[in-house]
Amino acid sequence: MIRGRPRSLRGRLVWGVTLLAAVAVLTAQAIGFLVLHSWLLNRVDQQLTEFILPDRAFADGAGLPARPAPDSVTLPSDFRMTFYDAAGKDRGTLGGGKKPGPSLPRNTGELHLEKGHQATVPAESGGGHWRVLWKDAKPGGTTFVVALPLDTVEGAMSKLLALNVAVFAVAVVGLVAVGRWVVRLGLLPLTRMEHTAQDITAGDLSVRLPDTDPRTETGRLGTVLNDMLDRLQQALCQREFSEARLRRFVADAGHELRTPLTSIQGFAQLALRHPDRPAAQRREADEQVARNAERMNHLVDDLLLLARLDQEPAYRTVPVDLLSLAADAVSAAAVRSGGEHRVTLSPLDAQAEDCEFEVVETVGDPDRLLQVVNNLLSNALVHTPPGTPVDVRVGTARAGATTGGTDRPGRASGSPPLTTGTPICVIEVADQGPGLPPEEAERVFERFYRVDPSRSRDHGGSGLGLAIATSIARGHVGRLELDTGAGLGCTFRLLLPVRD
């Protein structure tokens, strides 16, 4: 089956509206035509019903003349009468005129009429019709058929029909013309959407649809499409950012792995070239190989951990006492520092009078949260001069401008701000070290970013610790943020939801 060419929406609307309107006009004309025809025909029937036979139509009181002359009785208007005697034979017709009379039989046996009911019969010749009525006459047994021509009715209906045809033709043409204009005006927003879509297809994702009136269908469609374009643009930007981040991640990972690999390869080649080296040199080379292999092992472990964290791992959800967790981390840090730093534990609002430790509980994975606190303490011990005090503060608060709220100058984070007013648990790790300038503070949560431009292992690790800590905090529906400034020290703050 061969299908026709599909029409456009504009064409379907124009022809659909035109068809419906044409059907409505045609129906109205047909109803008007039938009503007028019925009304005119009823007037003729009323005249036939009210017709009174003149007494002069009879030759005497006993009966009809043998063959009455047409002019013996004057009938009103165009009436014609055909008489039948008691035997049913035609006795003649009264009324004259040039027009052919009704076609009636010679006897009543062939007269297919019902007394007292009007009927339409054709004329004796030509194409006209007559309206007839069979009635009883006063003399005994005689009947007559009175008739009126339908020329006036048929003429009026012919003129009305011609007028209706002309009006219908003009209406259809007008509907097509006006319909095209109205539909084109109504589809103008869709046309503008088409042009905008072409611009977007050409690569300009900043273009938006102009018609967004919520009172119209196209306006609501434009709003939805604009929202979709915003999300699409954000997704593309995030994809580009993710690809750039992945490329930088791979490059940094390759750089971090290449350094220990180069050392291991160098010592291995040295051992092959000089197998008779002294035992002290061989031992030193073996220690360097083992140290670099350990660094590679730590780096690979961190990379695998980040990969698992990026895949939304399932953390344990058990009650966690953050005060006890912080105390354990402080004890371990004090041992690692070897007395070079003073690490203390205090309440969050230590400056308030009668400030005491409070119960601070959240729900999560205690091992991962302890890893975050240990990482923050390790950074404070490594990146501050010996003798710098490090204070760990634990308490509860509400997210707001000072804690967990909108980022401000001097504050950086790898996670979005928390909802203002949300009850939160807080663990702060504050030092009085040199601090960080804003441009470096904004990048400390990036993977492989190290403040030390030389990438020396004497201070700090591979630059993955804060990225891992941020991912763990985000996995606990929390946030890790940094408040710092040049010469103001660093305050890392772990924010977690309060246990219900």
Side-chain angles (χ1 to χ4, degrees):
M1 179 178 179
I2 301 177
R3 296 184 177 180
R5 177 184 176 184
R7 293 186 177 274
S8 64
L9 175 60
R10 178 178 301 175
R12 291 198 297 268
L13 288 175
V14 170
W15 290 111
V17 171
T18 301
L19 179 61
L20 290 177
V23 170
V25 171
L26 189 60
T27 302
Q29 288 181 341
I31 293 175
F33 185 87
L34 294 176
V35 169
L36 180 60
H37 182 267
S38 177
W39 182 76
L40 293 175
L41 199 61
N42 286 337
R43 288 194 62 185
V44 174
D45 291 343
Q46 186 177 4
Q47 289 178 312
L48 292 175
T49 303
E50 296 175 353
F51 177 80
I52 299 177
L53 181 65
D55 294 338
R56 297 190 308 274
F58 297 92
D60 52 34
L64 295 170
R67 186 64 69 176
D71 297 332
S72 61
V73 178
T74 303
L75 296 178
S77 184
D78 294 327
F79 283 94
R80 289 196 182 183
M81 297 175 55
T82 301
F83 295 93
Y84 295 91
D85 58 16
K89 294 182 179 181
D90 183 7
R91 297 297 302 277
T93 301
L94 292 179
K98 297 181 179 179
K99 64 179 63 178
S103 177
L104 296 173
R106 293 297 180 182
N107 56 74
T108 57
E110 299 177 2
L111 187 63
H112 301 292
L113 297 177
E114 185 178 354
K115 288 184 180 180
H117 294 276
Q118 296 85 353
T120 301
V121 297
E124 292 179 347
S125 62
H129 291 83
W130 288 72
R131 191 71 169 171
V132 299
L133 177 62
W134 189 14
K135 303 176 68 174
D136 290 327
K138 290 181 179 180
T142 61
T143 59
F144 68 93
V145 176
V146 61
L148 271 176
L150 295 179
D151 295 347
T152 303
V153 176
E154 293 177 346
M157 301 312 298
S158 298
K159 292 180 180 179
L160 180 61
L161 181 60
L163 180 62
N164 284 345
V165 171
V167 170
F168 180 76
V170 173
V172 170
V173 174
L175 285 171
V176 172
V178 176
R180 288 175 60 87
W181 178 77
V182 171
V183 170
R184 183 171 63 252
L185 184 63
L187 296 181
L188 188 59
L190 291 180
T191 303
R192 288 196 289 265
M193 289 183 182
E194 178 186 1
H195 296 160
T196 303
Q198 291 175 352
D199 295 337
I200 295 173
T201 304
D204 188 1
L205 294 179
S206 62
V207 179
R208 293 295 179 267
L209 301 175
D211 299 286
T212 56
D213 189 348
R215 296 172 298 179
T216 63
E217 292 80 0
T218 54
R220 292 192 290 271
L221 176 61
T223 301
V224 173
L225 291 178
N226 283 340
D227 293 340
M228 182 187 69
L229 290 173
D230 290 337
R231 294 186 180 182
L232 178 61
Q233 188 175 19
Q234 292 176 2
L236 291 177
C237 292
Q238 291 177 356
R239 178 181 177 182
E240 293 177 358
F241 176 77
S242 299
E243 290 178 351
R245 185 177 179 181
L246 178 61
R247 288 193 295 269
R248 186 170 65 250
F249 178 83
V250 173
D252 291 340
H255 179 85
E256 295 292 337
L257 289 171
R258 184 174 58 185
T259 301
L261 278 175
T262 301
S263 298
I264 293 174
Q265 183 181 15
F267 284 112
Q269 292 177 351
L270 181 63
L272 292 175
R273 293 177 183 176
H274 305 282
D276 55 349
R277 289 178 303 159
Q281 292 183 1
R282 288 199 302 270
R283 179 176 181 81
E284 180 181 1
D286 292 341
E287 289 177 354
Q288 291 293 332
V289 170
R291 188 177 301 112
N292 283 280
E294 184 178 1
R295 289 177 181 173
M296 289 182 60
N297 184 57
H298 287 319
L299 179 59
V300 171
D301 288 342
D302 289 343
L303 291 174
L304 293 175
L305 177 58
L306 271 176
R308 290 196 299 269
L309 295 177
D310 288 341
Q311 296 176 358
E312 299 182 0
Y315 294 98
R316 288 194 296 164
T317 54
V318 298
V320 181
D321 184 353
L322 293 182
L323 183 58
S324 299
L325 185 143
D328 294 340
V330 168
S331 300
V335 173
R336 288 199 309 270
S337 67
E340 293 185 355
H341 293 79
R342 182 173 59 87
V343 184
T344 60
L345 178 64
S346 61
L348 182 63
D349 194 5
Q351 297 179 355
E353 296 181 0
D354 300 330
C355 181
E356 297 180 354
F357 286 105
E358 59 180 325
V359 177
V360 182
E361 287 190 344
T362 187
V363 176
D365 191 329
D367 295 333
R368 291 303 182 192
L369 295 177
L370 181 60
Q371 180 181 359
V372 174
V373 179
N374 285 334
N375 179 273
L376 299 180
L377 283 170
S378 177
N379 285 341
L381 298 178
V382 170
H383 294 289
T384 57
T388 303
V390 178
D391 190 16
V392 178
R393 296 187 283 266
V394 184
T396 59
R398 288 187 178 273
T402 58
T403 302
T406 305
D407 292 336
R408 54 179 174 77
R411 173 176 293 171
S413 177
S415 303
L418 302 178
T419 304
T420 302
T422 303
I424 53 175
C425 303
V426 182
I427 298 182
E428 287 185 352
V429 178
D431 63 61
Q432 300 178 16
L436 294 173
E439 59 275 9
E440 292 185 354
E442 292 179 357
R443 298 191 60 189
V444 294
F445 296 100
E446 296 181 8
R447 300 178 180 184
F448 292 110
Y449 179 77
R450 300 174 67 249
V451 177
D452 183 7
S454 65
R455 291 186 178 269
S456 172
R457 298 306 188 283
D458 295 336
H459 299 285
S462 62
L464 294 176
L466 289 178
I468 293 174
T470 299
S471 183
I472 294 174
R474 191 162 46 238
H476 284 76
V477 198
R479 168 182 165 98
L480 184 63
E481 63 184 22
L482 167 64
D483 283 342
T484 186
L488 301 178
C490 293
T491 300
F492 284 92
R493 191 175 294 113
L494 175 61
L495 310 175
L496 299 168
V498 176
R499 178 189 177 189
D500 296 332

